[in-house]
Amino acid sequence: MHYGKKSPSMGTPSVYSHVTTRSSANLRSSRSARSVKIPWYQKTKLTHAFIFDIQRGAMFTAIFSLCLAFFTVCTAIFDIYCLSQAAPGSTHYGYYIISYEFVYVGNQHVRNALIVFALFSMLGGIVVFVTSLMLITALRKEYEKKIVPWLYSFAIFTLFRLFAFIFFSIVNDMIFAYNIIMCLLWIIFICISAYGWLVIYSLYLELSDLTRLEDLAHLRIGTMQSLNASTTHSIAGSRPTTPHSVVSTLPVK
């Protein structure tokens, strides 16, 4: 009886055979990534950062946060100095480079609140400066676990500076150039900070998903190798041979 020749079947290529580089295209092309239900807070928020891609946008955000932390520390020290020099009832002698007319001199509790905001802004700026250095290193090596400290610290810092900016804008007089410039700058800084945080968080989710897929690929490869080794061992052990054994190759009549 004649049987037709069976054409070889083309199976679906393995997901793990595509995981050769850490890019988001691997996630979009994998069947397993689409079949897993992902919580809303773990979904990638952004894929592009205006004129940059997500990687360059993340590096730009890291450099921006580093500069912002340095700027915050300097302005916080300056605010604390001005508030201490312009305290009601204080007496000064000599000549001064700047005038302290723009400094708030009203209610004592409001002044104390401004000093507290400036003090915690300085401490927060130091923390963000350190975590920004860690972030730059993590982005170069694509090590997502070192991104986590920056995500927490910069989110808290941005929210705190938002409340401090609102309080500063309400209690200070907007007729002085310093107060106007600081308000305008912090409006821009907070907007860039919020968008930059989303960029870093999106990259963090992407790297985490790729790491998870790579771990699954390594687990599958290790499982297949162990199965192949056990199968080979069982086949070889079922028919033991010795140096004295002779196997006849002559046809049986």
Side-chain angles (χ1 to χ4, degrees), residues 77-235:
I77 294 174
F78 178 75
D79 290 341
I80 294 173
Y81 171 77
C82 291
L83 288 169
S84 62
Q85 292 295 318
S90 59
T91 304
H92 304 282
Y93 300 95
Y95 297 95
Y96 299 94
I97 300 176
I98 61 175
S99 174
Y100 297 102
E101 294 180 355
F102 64 92
V103 183
Y104 181 84
V105 292
N107 187 274
Q108 181 67 26
H109 299 291
V110 176
R111 291 188 69 259
N112 293 336
L114 289 173
I115 294 175
V116 169
F117 275 121
L119 180 61
F120 279 95
S121 296
M122 181 182 64
L123 297 177
I126 295 174
V127 174
V128 171
F129 187 86
V130 175
T131 54
S132 296
L133 294 176
M134 296 173 57
L135 177 64
I136 293 175
T137 304
L139 292 177
R140 288 177 178 176
K141 298 181 179 180
E142 293 187 344
Y143 189 51
E144 66 275 6
K145 291 184 179 180
K146 290 187 177 181
I147 300 178
V148 176
W150 184 90
L151 289 174
Y152 283 105
S153 61
F154 197 71
I156 297 173
F157 174 80
T158 303
L159 292 176
F160 178 79
R161 283 306 308 167
L162 176 62
F163 289 118
F165 154 72
I166 295 174
F167 185 78
F168 180 88
S169 302
I170 293 174
V171 301
N172 284 287
D173 295 329
M174 291 294 109
I175 60 175
F176 299 102
Y178 176 79
N179 295 334
I180 296 174
I181 292 174
M182 292 302 296
C183 287
L184 294 177
L185 286 178
W186 276 108
I187 290 175
I188 299 173
F189 291 160
I190 290 174
C191 293
I192 297 176
S193 299
Y195 186 80
W197 189 90
L198 289 177
V199 171
I200 299 293
Y201 183 65
S202 300
L203 181 62
Y204 167 76
L205 292 179
E206 181 178 335
L207 293 178
S208 299
D209 291 338
L210 290 172
T211 301
R212 192 178 301 111
L213 287 178
E214 290 175 356
D215 293 339
L216 291 175
H218 295 158
L219 179 62
R220 181 179 180 182
I221 293 173
T223 304
M224 295 300 295
Q225 289 178 351
S226 61
L227 289 176
N228 292 334
S230 61
T231 304
T232 304
H233 178 72
S234 62
I235 293 175

